[in-house]
Amino acid sequence: EYHIDGFRFDLGKLLDWNTLEDIIRDAKKINPNVVFVAEPWGGGYDPKGFSERGWGAWNDQIRNGIKGENPNNGLGWIFGKWYGNNSPQRIKSYVNGTLLKDSLGLFQKKEHSVNYLESHDGYTLGDFIRIGTREVNPKKIIPDVNKNAMLTPLQMKLNKLAALFLFTSQGITMISEGQEFARSKVIPLNTKVHDKEKGHLDHNSYNKDNNTNYLNYNYSKLNKELVDYYKGLINLRKTFPAFRRAEYGSVHFMKIPRNKFAVGYTVQYKNDLFIVLFNANQKHSQNFNLPQGNWRVLVNNKTAGTVAVGIVLNKYTVPAISGVVLQKIK
């Protein structure tokens, strides 16, 4: 009746493996291409087990590695930090879909990796960055919610860098509602509602029917630059299969000395060849030597999309806290 493509299971590990196997087997009889996604925790933690059974699973490794585990003392790569056991090699593995063939990988296929940086739980990505930059103190009252919502230049850079990594990584891309305008979960002080978190950034709003969970689309105008960036990245990913369907062996990483927070690689799919460059160093730009040829600039620190905003060759300098996507001119 409804031509449903698939299902997402909350706390999927609460179910036993036999039941999970029955579910996907019977669903595939109706639709061989059905998609099943689970939160791979609840009764344990086993993304690998879900992947072995053909299920996709939320990839909390890319979430924690790229943005961090918490904004107070667990910042990640976009902040020029390593959370937990993350490293340059782990960042590269996320590009390829966090596969088991890489150290500490989770999935048999990249199609099983649900890459995300924000969900309904925890701080929004925007609020995580607001706190992580130390530009907002989560313990203090926010008197002006509009001023809080408007991204500072530093916050804008970090949001763009995070989004660019997310949309150019192999796997399933998941974004949360309002992520594209750096949604902030905060109840204005003058709102007539009883909530002990009123005036503070809220990280646990699962049970609230108030301003914390309402979407204020005025903020999409306030942070239109970020909204347009997300639109461009979505268009880029949909237009070029290289960012969705490239084989593991078609991704080649560059050697980058003296900057452990820089990542560069070429990715090819059929006749399309791209270069993706990231620089998560917080202070210094990074010079990259480009392979031979002329390259269209599709994404930089200002804009994203499928229309070239410039042509480069030989070298490219990526500013701090930013990234670029280049397409080879045939």
Side-chain angles (χ1 to χ4, degrees):
E1 292 288 338
Y2 293 101
H3 306 286
I4 292 169
D5 297 310
F7 303 86
R8 177 263 185 187
F9 279 61
D10 192 82
L11 300 176
K13 198 62 180 66
L14 288 175
L15 297 177
D16 63 276
W17 288 129
N18 288 338
T19 301
L20 290 166
E21 290 165 4
D22 287 344
I23 289 170
I24 193 169
R25 182 179 62 248
D26 289 347
K28 282 189 173 183
K29 293 177 183 177
I30 301 170
N31 176 8
N33 297 316
V34 67
V35 176
F36 276 95
V37 168
E39 283 183 327
W41 47 77
Y45 176 81
D46 197 352
K48 178 175 177 285
F50 280 96
S51 182
E52 289 172 345
R53 291 162 174 85
W55 285 62
W58 285 20
N59 187 346
D60 59 322
Q61 285 195 9
I62 190 173
R63 178 197 69 197
N64 292 345
I66 299 305
K67 78 170 183 181
E69 192 274 335
N70 76 80
N72 299 306
N73 57 10
L75 298 177
W77 173 79
I78 61 170
F79 294 93
K81 305 283 186 181
W82 299 120
Y83 171 73
N85 59 6
N86 277 276
S87 66
Q89 285 306 117
R90 298 296 307 286
I91 300 299
K92 293 175 183 177
S93 79
Y94 303 148
V95 168
N96 275 314
T98 319
L99 299 176
L100 287 166
K101 64 177 67 180
D102 287 329
S103 175
L104 303 175
L106 300 173
F107 305 102
Q108 291 187 326
K109 299 178 179 180
K110 60 178 181 284
E111 294 89 342
H112 295 162
S113 178
V114 179
N115 303 326
Y116 75 108
L117 301 174
E118 174 187 336
S119 72
H120 60 287
D121 288 326
Y123 286 114
T124 67
L125 176 61
D127 283 345
F128 192 104
I129 289 172
R130 289 179 179 94
I131 298 170
T133 57
R134 308 300 180 243
E135 293 181 334
V136 174
N137 186 336
K139 296 181 179 179
K140 291 186 177 181
I141 291 289
I142 295 170
D144 187 337
V145 294
N146 292 323
K147 182 180 179 181
N148 165 74
M150 183 179 291
L151 294 172
T152 66
L154 176 57
Q155 292 168 18
M156 181 66 77
K157 289 179 184 178
L158 290 162
N159 273 280
K160 284 183 174 180
L161 178 60
L164 178 57
F165 191 94
L166 182 66
F167 278 93
T168 51
S169 295
Q170 302 292 320
I172 297 174
T173 302
M174 180 180 107
I175 63 173
S176 188
E177 64 273 23
Q179 182 176 326
E180 71 279 9
F181 54 81
R183 173 190 175 196
S184 187
K185 287 185 179 181
V186 58
I187 303 175
L189 280 175
N190 60 0
T191 303
K192 293 182 178 180
V193 60
H194 177 71
D195 191 314
K196 63 186 178 79
E197 294 295 337
K198 186 189 293 187
H200 292 100
L201 301 182
D202 198 325
H203 73 287
N204 191 26
S205 64
Y206 74 97
N207 61 345
K208 296 181 179 181
D209 182 15
N210 58 34
N211 286 63
T212 314
N213 284 328
Y214 301 162
L215 295 180
N216 188 336
Y217 288 105
N218 289 324
Y219 294 150
S220 67
K221 301 170 186 175
L222 208 61
N223 293 320
K224 185 177 183 296
E225 181 181 341
L226 184 61
V227 174
D228 289 342
Y229 201 77
Y230 268 82
K231 285 182 179 179
L233 291 177
I234 291 170
N235 193 23
L236 179 83
R237 187 176 175 89
K238 290 172 69 175
T239 302
F240 299 116
F243 302 109
R244 296 176 280 117
R245 302 188 183 280
E247 296 297 327
Y248 187 91
S250 299
V251 178
H252 299 282
F253 291 95
M254 303 174 179
K255 291 183 179 179
I256 306 169
R258 298 183 297 279
N259 185 353
K260 58 186 178 181
F261 293 108
V263 180
Y265 63 90
T266 60
V267 55
Q268 183 162 7
Y269 184 80
K270 295 184 177 179
N271 294 323
D272 287 325
L273 179 63
F274 298 89
I275 299 175
V276 182
L277 306 174
F278 298 108
N279 181 21
N281 188 293
Q282 304 296 286
K283 296 180 179 179
H284 304 293
S285 60
Q286 177 65 45
N287 294 320
F288 290 88
N289 293 319
L290 305 180
Q292 188 175 5
N294 294 331
W295 300 86
R296 295 187 186 94
V297 182
L298 301 182
V299 179
N300 58 20
N301 60 342
K302 298 295 183 183
T303 186
T306 58
V307 178
V309 294
I311 306 293
V312 296
L313 65 160
N314 299 328
K315 292 185 179 182
Y316 196 99
T317 300
V318 180
I321 319 175
S322 66
V324 301
V325 176
L326 312 176
Q327 181 188 26
K328 188 169 187 180
I329 299 175
K330 300 171 187 176

